[in-house]
Amino acid sequence: MNFENLDVWKRSARLSAEIYKSTNELKDFGFRDQLTRSGLSVPSNIAEGVSRESYKEKSRFIDIARSSLAETRTQIYIGLEIGYLEREKALYWISETKELGAMLTGLKQQFDNRS
């Protein structure tokens, strides 16, 4: 399985890039850094997990990616609440993180069923 062929990896990498571009001008470095790091962690852990040998390891990294995705969504909610993020964009990102979460759960179940 090649991570670059996975829709969940492609979409999460695109989301991460969008977050970077959209928060580039944000003056609150701490918030921006935390949001971009958690967003970047999602496709990175998918890639690392899928590249592992054992299904148990694959599953563990997908679980980490899901956790990072939940962290990202939390920060998006907060960024929306405090006026750091545009409403329409933030709501789209929240929807996207929910869909990605479901995709990651499905991928994790595939690995869990093989281990």
Side-chain angles (χ1 to χ4, degrees):
M1 181 181 292
N2 184 336
F3 70 86
E4 292 152 317
N5 294 330
L6 294 173
D7 285 338
V8 69
W9 178 81
K10 291 175 190 176
R11 286 174 65 176
S12 63
R14 191 175 316 118
L15 176 62
S16 179
E18 286 179 20
I19 289 170
Y20 265 90
K21 288 189 244 178
S22 296
T23 60
N24 191 36
E25 301 295 320
L26 197 59
K27 301 288 187 236
D28 185 336
F29 176 77
F31 178 83
R32 184 180 73 214
D33 185 56
Q34 191 69 25
L35 177 57
T36 55
R37 282 176 182 262
S38 65
L40 182 62
S41 178
V42 178
S44 300
N45 278 292
I46 294 168
E48 188 169 355
V50 169
S51 301
R52 294 291 174 142
E53 292 293 321
S54 77
Y55 287 109
K56 185 175 181 178
E57 282 188 290
K58 291 176 187 290
S59 180
R60 184 172 69 85
F61 276 90
I62 298 306
D63 199 40
I64 294 168
R66 285 192 317 174
S67 297
S68 293
L69 189 63
E71 180 182 352
T72 301
R73 185 164 57 244
T74 297
Q75 293 159 4
I76 294 167
Y77 276 121
I78 293 167
L80 178 60
E81 184 69 26
I82 62 178
Y84 281 2
L85 303 175
E86 296 173 19
R87 181 170 177 74
E88 186 175 317
K89 191 172 291 190
L91 294 177
Y92 168 74
W93 290 347
I94 289 166
S95 174
E96 185 69 359
T97 60
K98 289 178 180 179
E99 289 182 32
L100 289 168
M103 294 170 79
L104 287 172
T105 296
L107 184 59
K108 183 177 182 331
Q109 288 173 346
Q110 287 179 24
F111 294 148
D112 288 346
N113 291 336
R114 293 182 181 172
S115 57

